[in-house]
Amino acid sequence: IQLKVIKGVDDDDGQEQQVSTPRSINPISEETLKVLFQNISKEFGLNSPRISGRLLNDKSGKVFTLNTGGNKNTKKIHDMSTVGLKVARTIANLQGYQGKEKSNILVKNYRAPADFCPYATKPYCDFSYPYRNSDGSCNNKYYTWWGMSESPFKRILHPIYDDGLNAPRRRSIMGRGLANPRKIAMEIHHSLDMISHVTNMFPHFGQFLDHDLTLTALTSDEDGTPIKCFCHNQDSDCYNIPIPLEDHLNKDQRCMVTPRSSASFKKFNCELGHREQINLLTHWLDLSQTYGNNLKANLELRMKYGGLLNSSVVRGMKRDYLPFVVDGSCPNIPDGQPCFKSGDIRVNQNSLLLSLQTIWLREHNRVALILHKINPRWNDEKLFQEARKIVTATYQHIIYSEWLPILVGVKVAKLYGLLPLNQGYFNRYNYKLFPNVANEFSTAAMRFGHTLVRAAVLKADQNYRPFANSSFHSIIFKPVSAFQRGGLDSYLRGCLIEPSLRYDANVVDHLNHHLFEGLNKESPTKRFSLPALNIHRGRDHGLPGYNHYRALCGLNYARTIDDLFNIPVHIREKMKRLYEHVNDIDLFTGGVSELPIEGGVVGPTFACILAKQFRDLKFGDRFYYENGHDHVTRLSYRQLDEIRKSTFSRILCDNTDIMFVQRNAFLRNNFQTNPLISCHNIENIDYNAWKDLSY
Ligand code: HEM
């Protein structure tokens, strides 16, 4: 299979371009457009208590939801964008277009008037500031909002919504309804535990990394909690998964309630067009899961002394933990038990993720302390920002040198220019590259990790002797596990010796049949199905079918399901029973059903989507650690050489009591190619390269 380097529809397309005169026969004047916005927003009730506060929703009780929802700002973006979508539909109808993609193209030439554009103000920037902004803004000097938190995702392919603009993809291209996502999850994504060549650290680092990049806002109330959906309600922002008849495990519920993802205009200039979704996080690889996604969050996480991040000291424990918090972000923890805080709200979701979040906090504080010793005259701000810059550079180096070549294979990594250089600066920074995370990445490809997660996780002692095997369910939202027998180190050691499950369509029962079971007795949903959610979310976002991406990536454009030569026959047979047409196959399902690419973990279609995203995040990031383009922000030659020594095994050695580890922590240890070695033999960074000679 020969993959090709792909471009997306949102790449290089003049993001801030002036809107040209509509090409339609009867263009709508600005005056008429304004009146349309005014009338429709009145009709919709924008700013009225009903819409703003959703008084129709019952607010009693705390209901456990999938993620945090959104906030006041995403609620405003959602409401205004919903008006924008209604105006777009009206214009398309006025011009006689009922069709799908056509509506999208037609309305592209109109913009929401300033009063109706939630993104009207662009970030103010000071380009002499040498560090990243916490909210990701001002990275690109021309398009200052690019990569900013609470901004829209981009698209690799134009979406296919049922009405061309907004309605979830519910229909087969043959006209009838698509198969129920839960049914597909039961038939194609049932469990089958086959192990892979990577360690369990590989997918869990992937989840940690994802929490730097994506958190899709859900439709929320003013207070940021997702709107309450019930199986019977008609709210157009509730898009529930009905339980199919044959689902005997879920006889006690009628549906899995799922608010739609929050709506947004697709660009900051509020040009009309399809419904886009909002990323609550900065789109960059900037360790925002540790440092927060805006200045306020960042300041709350900082100790404001010595450049340190807040941490908690626990009696009897040698090392720091994340700060404790009592804010209800851990569902159902008994009184008195701690719950942890970090830059990403999902930190407590499982004990492996919590372990990784903890060691990156420790790494920051470790580096800040070293810098303080080397540069005693630096103040808190300087120490904090320099430590953040170093730790983020280390993290990016680990991703591009160790993790990605395993994920997509060295060949694809080379094709997409992902591998770091051995020396010197990278000089291919491209300010025209729109770096934002692609919807296809967050809603399908990066979810590949769901198929690698094991049903149980091993705990191992100092000598890597396993001493417990906890079911995955028992480590979900169990922050107290940080202090129980062997603590976080034992989970990390377990991850280093156990292989993950293989990349295939199979997902373990805990995620497929029992996700978040028993976490909230008041919720109308007793349990979720993660693969069903992935499929459903893809339809909510109007992701085109898998076949379109396959073709884009250089595979064959299949005419029938039998043409999908790199999907095992037994899965194709199931697909034939579930999907009427090959173009109906959902991107998540098609992607994870592919056989892995040579030398990589994932199949070729996901390899291509993932590689493209990491390419955009490298070539489009002014602060990418190897970038020599910017004299204000770049590392010195000597510092860069030091950062290039970073490995994930070194991070583990420095921030846990692990004494020996395989050289590449993402691959299983092997006497010849990846031997276990003492931490003493793993190269260290010499931080004297940061000695400030100006004092
Ligand atoms: C360890 C167990 C895991 C659990 C319980 C879990 C659970 C979830 C849930 C509930 C969602 C939201 C689904 C939705 O409503 O659309 C989600 C989204 C996601 N997950 Fe996982 N996940 C796990 C592991 C992973 C791993 C290992 C990866 C990647 C290597 C991953 C990548 C993602 C991504 C990219 C999203 C979309 C995030 C967003 O944009 O909101 N997850 N996961």
Side-chain angles (χ1 to χ4, degrees):
I1 293 170
Q2 286 291 327
L3 287 192
K4 55 181 188 184
V5 181
I6 54 165
K7 245 174 87 92
V9 291
D10 277 344
D11 290 347
D12 280 2
D13 66 346
Q15 292 294 307
E16 310 289 87
Q17 80 210 359
Q18 284 302 310
V19 174
S20 55
T21 320
R23 270 167 294 158
S24 57
I25 317 140
N26 299 313
I28 304 232
S29 71
E30 262 184 43
E31 224 14 71
T32 317
L33 190 66
K34 201 162 184 180
V35 173
L36 269 179
F37 264 92
Q38 280 162 347
N39 290 348
I40 290 182
S41 66
K42 253 191 227 141
E43 212 178 284
F44 175 65
L46 191 69
N47 298 330
S48 80
R50 192 184 77 79
I51 296 303
S52 312
R54 277 180 193 267
L55 295 182
L56 295 178
N57 262 329
D58 164 22
K59 290 227 172 209
S60 59
K62 192 179 116 190
V63 173
F64 178 70
T65 47
L66 298 165
N67 74 23
T68 49
N71 55 38
K72 265 195 183 146
N73 187 37
T74 59
K75 164 95 178 89
K76 180 175 152 201
I77 299 172
H78 175 83
D79 286 351
M80 288 193 169
S81 309
T82 306
V83 172
L85 284 162
K86 286 177 191 287
V87 172
R89 163 84 13 249
T90 309
I91 295 177
N93 288 346
L94 280 175
Q95 313 256 329
Y97 280 117
Q98 309 284 343
K100 291 190 179 176
E101 285 96 299
K102 282 185 193 144
S103 313
N104 212 352
I105 294 161
L106 179 83
V107 297
K108 188 176 148 86
N109 295 307
Y110 299 99
R111 268 190 202 184
D115 299 355
F116 295 91
C117 178
Y119 292 119
T121 46
K122 284 205 199 120
Y124 165 77
C125 303
D126 169 7
F127 295 119
S128 63
Y129 185 64
Y131 307 107
R132 290 174 186 274
N133 282 358
S134 298
D135 65 0
S137 64
C138 303
N139 186 308
N140 189 300
K141 292 188 181 175
Y142 302 90
Y143 310 117
T144 53
W145 69 272
W146 283 10
M148 194 175 153
S149 53
E150 298 176 18
S151 70
F153 288 100
K154 74 170 171 205
R155 295 279 175 164
I156 295 177
L157 287 180
H158 282 296
I160 302 185
Y161 286 107
D162 260 6
D163 62 349
L165 291 169
N166 183 20
R169 193 173 72 92
R170 295 176 208 252
R171 313 244 132 251
S172 152
I173 64 155
M174 309 301 281
R176 284 180 285 270
L178 288 170
N180 178 309
R182 173 65 186 148
K183 193 168 169 186
I184 301 172
M186 287 164 62
E187 299 260 332
I188 296 189
H189 302 296
H190 57 79
S191 83
L192 178 74
D193 295 359
M194 305 277 278
I195 57 167
S196 76
H197 66 289
V198 296
T199 58
N200 209 22
M201 190 64 85
F202 182 82
H204 291 286
F205 183 86
Q207 186 185 31
F208 173 75
L209 186 169
D210 179 66
H211 293 184
D212 180 8
L213 293 178
T214 77
L215 174 57
T216 309
L218 293 184
T219 315
S220 307
D221 283 332
E222 290 287 77
D223 64 0
T225 53
I227 54 164
K228 263 191 198 168
C229 294
F230 299 94
C231 292
H232 56 268
N233 78 3
Q234 302 293 311
D235 191 324
S236 59
D237 287 323
C238 290
Y239 174 45
N240 302 325
I241 306 177
I243 301 296
L245 275 177
E246 50 277 70
D247 186 356
H248 300 295
L249 282 164
N250 281 301
K251 284 277 172 247
D252 54 350
Q253 55 183 353
R254 282 174 50 206
C255 79
M256 294 177 187
V257 292
T258 1
R260 284 194 76 180
S261 299
S262 215
S264 167
F265 288 98
K266 56 184 183 162
K267 290 181 190 157
F268 247 50
N269 67 11
C270 292
E271 78 181 36
L272 298 192
H274 66 256
R275 179 184 181 120
E276 197 42 81
Q277 284 70 31
I278 306 166
N279 189 1
L280 286 163
L281 312 185
T282 71
H283 296 247
W284 309 108
L285 284 169
D286 59 358
L287 263 180
S288 58
Q289 70 278 52
T290 298
Y291 296 115
N293 286 280
N294 54 57
L295 189 59
K296 183 168 174 281
N298 178 254
L299 291 174
E300 278 170 16
L301 290 163
R302 283 173 61 175
M303 201 190 262
K304 300 183 191 82
Y305 170 78
L308 300 171
L309 282 166
N310 279 324
S311 59
S312 29
V313 181
V314 179
R315 202 153 20 112
M317 298 287 184
K318 209 165 65 186
R319 295 181 186 270
D320 284 356
Y321 286 84
L322 292 159
F324 296 136
V325 63
V326 189
D327 67 352
S329 51
C330 288
N332 278 1
I333 52 161
D335 286 348
Q337 275 196 11
C339 179
F340 294 105
K341 183 182 167 96
S342 80
D344 182 76
I345 191 80
R346 294 159 290 186
V347 48
N348 297 288
Q349 192 220 57
N350 72 73
S351 305
L352 307 182
L353 178 65
L354 177 62
S355 309
L356 291 171
Q357 288 272 2
T358 308
I359 61 171
W360 284 97
L361 165 101
R362 290 177 184 166
E363 175 65 3
H364 174 90
N365 284 354
R366 191 184 74 83
V367 173
L369 285 171
I370 296 174
L371 289 181
H372 202 173
K373 272 203 190 122
I374 296 176
N375 297 301
R377 298 176 72 171
W378 280 5
N379 63 14
D380 168 64
E381 178 64 15
K382 177 82 177 164
L383 284 167
F384 176 80
Q385 297 300 353
E386 281 297 322
R388 174 172 170 242
K389 185 170 170 180
I390 294 172
V391 178
T392 308
T394 305
Y395 163 78
Q396 287 194 335
H397 184 71
I398 290 167
I399 293 170
Y400 284 96
S401 66
E402 293 189 284
W403 194 78
L404 280 172
I406 299 175
L407 180 71
V408 299
V410 174
K411 220 165 125 187
V412 175
K414 276 192 185 147
L415 179 72
Y416 276 81
L418 302 182
L419 300 182
L421 302 168
N422 293 326
Q423 56 177 36
Y425 288 124
F426 169 79
N427 53 21
R428 294 177 65 194
Y429 170 66
N430 177 1
Y431 76 91
K432 283 189 185 160
L433 199 69
F434 185 36
N436 278 24
V437 174
N439 212 313
E440 293 88 341
F441 174 91
S442 61
T443 314
M446 193 59 197
R447 298 188 188 207
F448 77 89
H450 293 165
T451 81
L452 272 67
V453 172
R454 298 186 69 105
V457 293
L458 205 63
K459 291 179 89 173
D461 69 12
Q462 288 268 16
N463 297 312
Y464 286 105
R465 274 188 307 248
F467 66 86
N469 210 7
S470 331
S471 83
F472 203 87
H473 194 66
S474 72
I475 63 160
I476 294 255
F477 290 109
K478 285 281 158 44
V480 70
S481 64
F483 316 113
Q484 285 168 342
R485 276 185 75 203
L488 298 178
D489 285 12
S490 61
Y491 286 112
L492 293 169
R493 283 193 214 98
C495 273
L496 288 166
I497 50 174
E498 255 198 325
S500 81
L501 292 189
R502 211 165 65 181
Y503 175 84
D504 52 26
N506 307 107
V507 177
V508 294
D509 287 350
H510 285 302
L511 298 183
N512 192 8
H513 300 316
H514 303 285
L515 182 69
F516 302 148
E517 190 163 52
L519 281 186
N520 194 321
K521 312 272 178 304
E522 289 170 53
S523 168
T525 299
K526 312 256 179 275
R527 62 196 77 78
F528 290 94
S529 162
L530 195 49
L533 277 171
N534 293 342
I535 296 166
H536 194 64
R537 194 64 69 200
R539 295 178 185 179
D540 171 9
H541 295 195
L543 292 191
Y546 153 75
N547 199 20
H548 298 286
Y549 293 92
R550 179 186 168 85
L552 181 81
C553 289
L555 281 88
N556 63 330
Y557 182 79
R559 302 268 157 226
T560 69
I561 291 179
D562 282 322
D563 292 345
L564 303 173
F565 65 88
N566 61 335
I567 292 185
V569 176
H570 71 279
I571 299 188
R572 277 190 257 155
E573 289 307 315
K574 287 180 185 171
M575 285 175 166
K576 280 191 220 165
R577 288 198 291 275
L578 290 160
Y579 292 104
E580 255 190 283
H581 192 279
V582 65
N583 285 1
D584 292 339
I585 299 172
D586 297 279
L587 180 55
F588 175 77
T589 298
V592 296
S593 299
E594 288 183 344
L595 294 169
I597 196 161
E598 192 194 325
V601 167
V602 294
T605 302
F606 277 6
C608 144
I609 296 173
L610 293 162
K612 173 184 163 37
Q613 185 63 59
F614 284 99
R615 178 186 169 91
D616 296 350
L617 291 175
K618 171 174 174 173
F619 287 59
D621 179 5
R622 185 161 63 91
F623 292 92
Y624 172 66
Y625 76 104
E626 290 187 290
N627 184 10
H629 173 91
D630 191 319
H631 297 249
V632 179
T633 60
R634 71 184 181 191
L635 293 165
S636 73
Y637 251 60
R638 185 171 161 216
Q639 291 169 344
L640 194 48
D641 283 346
E642 290 303 320
I643 295 291
R644 288 195 175 113
K645 293 178 185 164
S646 318
T647 52
F648 190 56
S649 49
R650 185 71 253 163
I651 298 283
L652 290 168
C653 287
D654 285 335
N655 299 293
T656 67
D657 291 329
I658 288 173
M659 315 281 275
F660 49 99
V661 59
Q662 59 263 39
R663 198 172 281 284
N664 188 329
F666 302 123
L667 293 174
R668 291 164 73 180
N669 89 58
N670 171 303
F671 181 66
Q672 276 172 340
T673 55
N674 197 26
L676 268 187
I677 48 175
S678 157
C679 284
H680 297 301
N681 297 331
I682 299 178
E683 227 174 349
N684 254 312
I685 290 181
D686 178 2
Y687 294 94
N688 284 309
W690 279 267
K691 187 160 180 59
D692 190 344
L693 302 173
S694 64
Y695 283 104

